[in-house]
Amino acid sequence: MTTQNAVLIRGIAASPGVAHGPWVRFQRKAPASRGLVAEPEAEVARLIAAADVVGRATEGLADEVRRAGHAEEAKVFLAQAMIARDPELLDAAAVRIRVDHDDAIAAITAAAATVADQLRTLGDKLLAGRASDVVDVGDRLARELAGLASVEMRLTEPSIVVAEDLPPSMTATLPRDRLLGIALEASSPTAHAAILARAYGIPAVVGATGLLAALDAAGHGSPLALDGESGELLVAPAKEDIARYEARAGAIRRNRGRDLEEAALPVITEDGTAIELLANIGSPGEAAGAVALGARGVGLFRTEFLFLERSTPPSEDEQADAYGQVVAAFGPHPVTIRLLDVGGDKPIPYLPLKAEDNPFLGVRALRLADHRPDIFVTQLRACYRAAVRGRVKVMAPMVADAADAATFRQLVDRARTELIAEGRPIGALDLGAMLEIPSAILTADTYVQELSFVSIGTNDLLQYTLAADRGNPALERYRDPLHPALLRLIRLAVEAAERAGIELSVCGEMAGDPEAAILLVGLGVRLLSMAPSSLATVRRAIRAAVSSDLERAAISSLDDRSAADVRTRLRRLAVETTTVPEQAR
Ligand code: PEP
Ligand code: MG
């Protein structure tokens, strides 16, 4: 509910927390071009010199951020330093100088814009987020060439920063003692502005179409209120609105405290079924938070993150270090490293894949092993080395059948043999497969006994079962994982794992939805892996549930007609569980 004069804008939640107060708009004025140049070679030399200065300054910024205790975020700037010296970007600008006689300012601005556009048109949210890094670096190069200082934003009072988009360098250097929140008209939750906001605990909303026009219309004196969990923004909130936001802020603070306090509680149903809750993470920086929230290991380390953040693949040493850090943070619990799942909606610019009409049905993930086994062998070597520091499990993404499982094991053997021949110390790896293609579940009995574990990726399993692209908003009706077709496949997978005597977990988003999580328990799943922020609510749902009731509900739900029917069944069960006295059960 909002008051009459307030304007409600719905954006995308990007970093939790609420804020209200005055806003300051960040606007970047592009440095002006100095017109055509007579001596192109001298201008190219100016550009190269500027690239060196900006590269070094950006590395300095990375150092500063690292020293401030944000090692993971510092990598953003190391990646930017690489962009500043990226030969492709500089060559593209040099061509404009030599052929069109553009000056270096115009040339680098245009070259950066072209590269950013290419990244945005790849249709991948992460890469689109990287586009703002390229524009940010282009802008800093142009400023250096124009003799302008880099943009700095001073906040004279605690304020919310609003902008079309915010370059990562700006996000990292905003005066955090006065920064109440961030609201962006563009951007996405996986862009660096949002990643940094989350890392610094600054509430943020992105993708807020219409925000800047609404602020202009309301005038500068009108405050702004922001809810980084619902994605709501209120321009010119009234007193009652602000009171509501303050109440929310209080509740969020209390909930966070409660989530941490409950982290050590046993995850066990009322009738004694024990469940393990694990974390899904994408970088070593997320490990500590997940441990604090009670994750007993990592069920899915999406290693693409390490590859997407940069312009060349991470070396074996870098990977061994990143995996080793996570293993050390979670010890004695195991860390499940998923081999690179590139392709589909996650292309990587420096790993060119052939354009395909249906990339989700194409050469994705483990299927790349035919052409590029080296990528996986390097990863596996790094896993073996990290395993010296603790328990490591490795799983292959997009396994379709026994032949894919065999390919995976061959890659593992190759990595192991190489390391042994080199005399390098290695640990032990548990091997597993993701079950995210229906054929992998339907034929599970033919190969899972050769593995130590399987993990169900419900995100892809749902898209492949219902033939509904997971990124297409028009297919929302097919996106509920409680669909009986998915539940039947999960049940088949549980039974196959039981027959083979191996461990089974679920690591798709379904495991982090408290209602779906307890249904998974009813289907026989005992390990659930999810985003760390879901751990507390799922733990509460499990502790309030009775597994014998869940089993009955789960078996009946296999015959339901729709996901909505399954949800109704679960809600009825929840009401009964809370109203039926203990002795009557
Ligand atoms: C899945 O498909 O459910 C999964 C966990 O992997 P991703 O979402 O990374 O494809
Ligand atoms: Mg998947």
Side-chain angles (χ1 to χ4, degrees):
M1 210 186 56
T2 64
T3 50
Q4 235 174 2
N5 295 329
V7 179
L8 172 68
I9 310 260
R10 282 192 200 285
I12 304 166
S15 177
V18 295
H20 63 83
W23 51 272
V24 175
R25 181 163 177 183
F26 166 71
Q27 247 171 330
R28 176 168 39 187
K29 285 196 193 68
S33 150
R34 299 191 298 187
L36 297 183
V37 292
E39 289 179 35
E41 288 315 317
E43 194 67 0
V44 170
R46 247 167 52 75
L47 173 67
I48 305 298
D52 190 48
V53 171
V54 170
R56 271 186 286 129
T58 312
E59 278 157 2
L61 189 53
D63 268 353
E64 245 173 65
V65 174
R66 191 177 26 244
R67 276 199 300 275
H70 298 284
E72 205 47 40
E73 291 65 42
K75 288 185 187 159
V76 172
F77 299 106
L78 286 181
Q80 286 203 349
M82 286 168 71
I83 297 173
R85 299 191 180 104
D86 179 27
E88 265 182 56
L89 178 67
L90 297 176
D91 282 354
V95 167
R96 288 173 186 271
I97 297 171
R98 292 193 177 110
V99 176
D100 303 331
H101 287 212
D102 278 351
D103 79 333
I105 296 173
I108 192 65
T109 305
T114 307
V115 172
D117 280 349
Q118 282 161 354
L119 289 172
R120 285 190 197 101
T121 52
L122 288 172
D124 175 82
K125 281 192 202 151
L126 263 173
L127 290 180
R130 298 305 80 85
S132 50
D133 286 315
V134 177
V135 173
D136 188 15
V137 171
D139 179 69
R140 265 179 288 151
L141 283 168
R143 283 181 179 279
E144 174 64 29
L145 286 157
L148 298 170
S150 67
V151 209
E152 270 190 32
M153 192 154 182
R154 309 220 170 273
L155 301 178
T156 50
E157 58 179 333
S159 311
I160 296 174
V161 168
V162 303
E164 174 67 26
D165 199 354
L166 210 53
S169 57
M170 174 59 66
T171 316
T173 52
L174 284 169
R176 284 202 283 288
D177 52 334
R178 294 184 179 175
L179 180 62
L180 298 175
I182 296 174
L184 304 180
E185 176 118 8
S187 196
S188 77
T190 48
H192 274 128
I195 291 172
L196 289 166
R198 283 197 291 276
Y200 296 147
I202 301 162
V205 173
V206 299
T209 311
L211 171 66
L212 298 178
L215 288 173
D216 283 345
H220 208 263
S222 318
L224 175 66
L226 170 163
D227 183 335
E229 271 169 45
S230 68
E232 264 184 30
L233 290 160
L234 265 188
V235 177
K239 265 197 196 137
E240 310 85 271
D241 297 317
I242 290 179
R244 201 160 46 80
Y245 271 71
E246 273 173 358
R248 282 265 302 128
I252 288 170
R253 270 194 303 277
R254 283 192 297 278
N255 280 346
R256 275 195 200 142
R258 183 178 161 208
D259 290 354
L260 289 168
E261 277 163 24
E262 291 181 358
L265 290 179
V267 188
I268 184 161
T269 61
E270 284 209 351
D271 51 347
T273 301
I275 307 297
E276 289 281 359
L277 298 190
L278 314 168
N280 292 353
I281 62 167
S283 67
E286 293 162 58
V291 171
L293 285 164
R296 298 282 189 269
V298 172
L300 169 63
F301 184 167
R302 287 184 166 99
T303 56
E304 304 79 64
F305 186 93
L306 304 176
F307 286 70
L308 284 169
E309 293 291 304
R310 43 196 299 146
S311 50
T312 54
S315 67
E316 181 183 315
D317 284 354
E318 282 175 88
Q319 290 188 53
D321 180 50
Y323 305 153
Q325 280 179 44
V326 178
V327 170
F330 276 92
H333 303 297
V335 171
T336 311
I337 298 170
R338 178 177 70 182
L339 292 189
L340 191 63
D341 182 3
V342 63
D345 63 340
K346 295 180 261 192
I348 293 182
Y350 56 84
L351 281 182
L353 303 173
K354 267 208 195 128
E356 294 176 313
D357 287 343
N358 291 304
F360 271 127
L361 303 179
V363 183
R364 175 185 166 191
L366 188 68
R367 296 169 179 192
L368 266 178
D370 274 354
H371 305 295
R372 296 292 309 266
D374 54 302
I375 297 171
F376 297 110
V377 172
T378 304
Q379 256 200 307
L380 285 159
R381 287 173 57 107
C383 292
Y384 267 121
R385 289 172 52 192
V388 171
R389 301 177 70 178
R391 281 189 64 197
V392 178
K393 298 158 81 172
V394 182
M395 63 181 174
M398 294 286 288
V399 168
D401 53 20
D404 280 348
T407 301
F408 171 49
R409 287 210 323 282
Q410 280 156 18
L411 294 165
V412 172
D413 286 346
R414 194 171 134 190
R416 190 163 181 278
T417 314
E418 283 179 12
L419 288 165
I420 290 173
E422 291 163 23
R424 314 228 18 184
I426 59 170
L429 295 183
D430 280 353
L431 303 184
M434 284 200 70
L435 300 180
E436 49 186 347
I437 303 178
S439 61
I441 294 178
L442 296 171
T443 63
D445 286 335
T446 65
Y447 66 92
V448 293
Q449 66 284 357
E450 294 151 15
L451 300 168
S452 322
F453 70 99
V454 283
S455 186
I456 307 181
T458 49
N459 309 334
D460 278 312
L461 189 58
L462 188 63
Q463 86 161 341
Y464 293 128
T465 303
L466 295 181
D469 180 338
R470 65 193 262 187
N472 185 339
L475 302 174
E476 204 51 45
R477 109 154 178 75
Y478 300 100
R479 204 145 300 129
D480 191 331
L482 294 189
H483 195 291
L486 193 79
L487 303 183
R488 283 177 182 234
L489 281 166
I490 292 171
R491 183 64 198 159
L492 289 180
V494 168
E495 288 167 354
E498 275 170 10
R499 276 193 297 277
I502 62 166
E503 179 193 283
L504 173 138
S505 61
V506 173
C507 65
E509 297 309 305
M510 179 180 188
D513 166 351
E515 224 161 42
I518 57 166
L519 187 69
L520 289 169
V521 171
L523 287 169
V525 178
R526 297 292 176 263
L527 283 105
L528 298 169
S529 191
M530 63 202 72
S533 54
S534 300
L535 288 163
T537 37
V538 170
R539 180 184 298 107
R540 262 171 233 140
I542 291 171
R543 286 171 57 82
V546 178
S547 72
S548 53
D549 292 347
L550 294 177
E551 274 157 35
R552 273 193 299 278
I555 298 308
S556 304
S557 68
L558 298 177
D559 292 322
D560 277 336
R561 284 165 59 92
S562 66
D565 286 356
V566 179
R567 285 208 184 263
T568 308
R569 180 184 292 286
L570 288 171
R571 281 174 197 161
R572 236 181 6 236
L573 181 67
V575 172
E576 283 163 17
T577 310
T578 48
T579 51
V580 176
E582 188 64 35
Q583 60 274 34
R585 274 197 209 121

